[in-house]
Amino acid sequence: MPSQEAIAQTVNRYLEFLSKGSADDIASLYAADATIEDPIGSDIRRGHDAVREFYAAVEGIKKETELVHLRIGGSEAAFFWHLTLDAGGSRSRLSPISVMRFDDDAKITSMRAFWSPTDMKVL
């Protein structure tokens, strides 16, 4: 089982890479057969190619992330965070709750994000 410190480091790197990194940077945090369900109820994506494709869709958008609360138990983490998107003349914020499961090397094996389009707020 990964340490709480290793899990916290992966979560923080995930948020850092999401705001300032590339899809490849983010994919490097995931295990080879990882799954993403973002948002909950959407099709589940599996494997590095699907992970990379998912994050490549938002790679060129100016964004900021902020970790609000992080809870770690065993090999899982749940965290509430803000994603602020800057689309030129307008800014909006989404505040999902993400749940991640990790392998022994603190690589993400699954990520599930709880949010819906009605949660998006214009700033």
Side-chain angles (χ1 to χ4, degrees), residues 101-112:
R101 184 173 292 137
F102 301 86
D103 66 14
D104 290 341
D105 297 319
K107 294 273 190 182
I108 303 163
T109 60
S110 73
M111 189 279 284
R112 301 177 74 218

Side-chain angles (χ1 to χ4, degrees), residues 1-48:
M1 181 173 359
S3 69
Q4 286 193 349
E5 294 80 15
I7 289 173
Q9 181 180 20
T10 299
V11 169
N12 282 298
R13 289 181 70 210
Y14 170 79
L15 293 175
E16 175 189 345
F17 289 163
L18 186 58
S19 68
K20 296 181 174 88
S22 68
D24 287 330
D25 292 333
I26 299 168
S28 74
L29 300 174
Y30 280 83
D33 61 347
T35 60
I36 295 176
E37 185 179 4
D38 185 351
I40 293 296
S42 64
D43 290 338
I44 295 175
R45 297 162 179 89
R46 182 179 303 277
H48 263 180

Side-chain angles (χ1 to χ4, degrees), residues 15-105:
L15 293 175
E16 175 189 345
F17 289 163
L18 186 58
S19 68
K20 296 181 174 88
S22 68
D24 287 330
D25 292 333
I26 299 168
S28 74
L29 300 174
Y30 280 83
D33 61 347
T35 60
I36 295 176
E37 185 179 4
D38 185 351
I40 293 296
S42 64
D43 290 338
I44 295 175
R45 297 162 179 89
R46 182 179 303 277
H48 263 180
D49 289 341
V51 168
R52 191 174 298 107
E53 180 182 330
F54 177 75
Y55 291 106
V58 295
E59 195 170 39
I61 300 171
K62 185 177 177 185
K63 53 200 164 306
E64 300 168 9
T65 58
E66 177 188 356
L67 180 61
V68 180
H69 295 288
L70 171 63
R71 299 291 183 264
I72 299 170
S75 60
E76 297 186 50
F79 55 102
F80 176 66
W81 59 288
H82 300 305
L83 173 63
T84 304
L85 303 169
D86 187 341
S90 68
R91 289 172 47 94
S92 55
R93 176 173 288 158
L94 180 66
S95 299
I97 296 171
S98 295
V99 177
M100 292 180 171
R101 184 173 292 137
F102 301 86
D103 66 14
D104 290 341
D105 297 319

